[in-house]
Structures are given as C-alpha cells and as structure tokens.
Amino acid sequence: MKRKHCDVASQADSNKLQVIVVSCGEPKKGMGWFHLTQLLEDPRCQVVGVVEPFFLGPGKCAPGSQEFLEFRQAHPSVHFCKSIQEIPVMGDKVEGEACRPHLLVLIAGRTCDAPKLFSEALERGATHIYLEKPGAETSAQLESMAREASKRSVPVVLGYNKNVSSYVLNALTELDRATSENKCLQITLEHNNAFSPGSELMSFITGPGGEGMIHNMCCHELALAVTLFGIDPARVLRVVLDSKASDLIDVGNGKSDWQRVSFCIVQRMDQSENK
C-alpha cells in the first residue's frame, strides 16, 4: 500500500474530529489562542497539533513568549512546531481505506500570510479549513484560494462568527417584526475592540492589523450587512462618513488609518433609497 504525506500520530482518537491550529499567537491576545483554548475543551475534538511560526521562530524572546512556553508545557499531548510541514499527523491516507476521514485545519495567522498557509494546509491533506477573517489581502486572492479548495473538494468556512451570534439573530427578529408592521428601521452595526488609544493600538495597526482597520475589523460588520441585512454593492449609491465620530491618525511611513470610524451606507432598492 502506498502512503501519502506523513504518519498519523499514535495518540490520535479516530472517534473525534482531529484539529490543527495554525498560528496560535500570544496567549489571551491572539485569535488563534482563543480558538485553541475552546477546541481543547470541546469533547468532540482532539487538537493534535499547533503550528506557531513566530514564538517557535524569531519571536522566541519576544513579549508573550514566556506565556506561550507555559501554555505549551501545559499541553504535552499536543504536537507544537513552527511550520505546517513539521506536523506529523496531516493527510495520512492509505490507498483503499480512509484512516483519517476528517482533519480540520484552523488558520489564524497574519492576513498577509494566510494564502500561503492555506495552500500548505491543502497540500498536506486538510479535509476542512476554518480561515480567520479577512482571509487574504485582496478579493482576487480569496477567489484563487476558493478555486484551489474546490479542486480538492475541501469545504472552507471564513470566520465571521458574528453572523451566528445571539444579538444579531435578535436584531433580525426585530427587523422581521418591524417589516411585518410596515415600519422602517435604520440599522446600526457596531464594532468594538479593547485596544487602548496610543501605543497599544498603534502596535496593532502597524503589525497584525497592517492591512487596515476597515479590512481587518470593520469587515465583520460589512459581512453582516451584505449577508444578512440586504446590502448589495451593485446598488450602493453612496457612503456617508460621520466626521464627528471618526478619527484618522498618522501611522508613519506616509500612511494613515482609522482610530475610529462611523459611516452610513445608502443604497437603492425598489426605486427608493435604503440605509
């Protein structure tokens, strides 16, 4: 029998969904870490590997490295490594049998690294991928990644978890009620982060969030607006900035970004303007 890729780890439980988290990040700060801690507690899953390129590479002495080391030591059954190629449990498939029917790879790295990590995960045998938003720096990259996954019949979910949150579902219920009563509502979608203005915020928007706050953060609300609240880019008439509720700051190197931003999307629908 011919084996593809690499060996299945002896501790893998075939009765559980096998999961590999790519880019854990700093404990209590990185999105990968939050996903990882939840998956470790889920009895339906078994986290068999964690890929952490930064803290197991150039960031061995960086802030947060000690917390990451302690987290790693607390989970000796999980294989930690700095690249997807080092994972010894991905894509094992024996001709004539399916010894690893489901392997979820959760990718939570920097947006600029996501397409490469995505391709590596597919190449190594992922059967399902959860990709943290926004997933890539451009729409063209996302379209290329979608084609690549489709060729391998690998389902991909993009991490817009607000779409299934209780407060959004409650808002949709209220919207349906108002519509049935022929009432017109103005919908406001808000995004809030715990970054303190100053060095903490600057460190984020010049580092992990370097693609811009609209792309990195406001994409959540834009995704909600398009998928659940009827915004169609083809019908958008204008975007109106609320200058009093928006702050544009200098982030160096001739670039600027939003510390906070508020705007209204106006679109045409059924020969009338909708907000």
Side-chain angles (χ1 to χ4, degrees):
M1 291 186 294
K2 182 181 178 182
R3 287 187 179 273
K4 298 180 180 180
H5 303 307
C6 46
D7 295 332
V8 176
S10 59
Q11 73 271 22
D13 186 342
S14 61
N15 295 317
K16 295 184 177 183
L17 173 64
Q18 307 299 298
V19 182
I20 291 171
V21 176
V22 179
S23 295
C24 166
E26 185 175 350
K28 299 184 179 180
K29 289 188 177 181
M31 281 305 304
W33 180 87
F34 286 105
H35 287 304
L36 176 57
T37 54
Q38 292 174 343
L39 289 166
L40 286 168
E41 296 174 355
D42 193 323
R44 300 166 298 178
C45 303
Q46 182 182 19
V47 178
V48 294
V50 173
V51 177
E52 177 44 50
F54 182 67
F55 286 122
L56 293 178
K60 288 182 178 179
C61 298
S65 58
Q66 182 59 37
E67 290 81 357
F68 175 79
L69 176 61
E70 293 171 358
F71 181 79
R72 178 183 182 182
Q73 292 173 339
H75 298 88
S77 65
V78 178
H79 182 83
F80 283 78
C81 57
K82 64 180 180 180
S83 72
I84 291 178
Q85 286 78 8
E86 296 176 51
I87 286 286
V89 293
M90 296 186 69
D92 187 322
K93 192 173 183 180
V94 180
E95 287 185 358
E97 59 179 299
C99 57
R100 285 187 59 78
H102 296 299
L103 175 63
L104 169 65
V105 178
L106 189 151
I107 300 174
R110 298 183 304 172
T111 302
C112 60
D113 297 329
K116 179 175 181 291
L117 295 172
F118 186 87
S119 295
E120 290 175 350
L122 288 173
E123 180 63 29
R124 297 287 283 170
T127 63
H128 297 73
I129 292 179
Y130 180 106
L131 182 63
E132 253 305 328
K133 57 81 193 169
E137 292 182 300
T138 68
S139 296
Q141 286 178 324
L142 286 172
E143 291 169 353
S144 176
M145 293 158 70
R147 289 192 295 270
E148 188 177 3
S150 179
K151 289 179 182 178
R152 297 174 183 264
S153 299
V154 174
V156 180
V157 174
L158 203 56
Y160 288 111
N161 55 316
K162 289 187 179 183
N163 292 40
V164 293
S165 63
S166 58
Y167 70 88
V168 169
L169 297 179
N170 290 338
L172 288 171
T173 299
E174 180 63 20
L175 180 60
D176 288 341
R177 185 193 63 77
T179 301
S180 67
E181 298 174 359
N182 294 318
K183 294 181 180 179
C184 183
L185 296 180
Q186 179 167 311
I187 300 168
T188 300
L189 301 175
E190 295 186 359
H191 188 100
N192 181 47
N193 279 301
F195 294 115
S196 299
S199 60
E200 184 181 15
L201 177 63
M202 188 66 71
S203 177
F204 176 77
I205 59 181
T206 57
E211 64 270 23
M213 293 297 274
I214 295 292
H215 195 153
N216 188 279
M217 293 297 172
C218 193
C219 60
H220 273 295
E221 283 60 49
L222 292 174
L224 282 173
V226 170
T227 58
L228 299 178
F229 291 98
I231 293 297
D232 182 346
R235 293 197 296 268
V236 171
L237 293 174
R238 57 185 179 275
V239 177
V240 183
L241 179 71
D242 182 352
S243 58
K244 293 182 179 179
S246 304
D247 292 324
L248 191 64
I249 59 174
D250 182 5
V251 297
N253 296 320
K255 298 181 179 179
S256 57
D257 200 355
W258 298 104
Q259 178 170 271
R260 61 174 185 154
V261 62
S262 176
F263 56 88
C264 180
I265 298 175
V266 181
Q267 73 171 4
R268 185 172 298 282
M269 185 181 296
D270 297 331
Q271 305 304 314
S272 62
E273 288 189 1
N274 291 268
K275 299 181 179 181

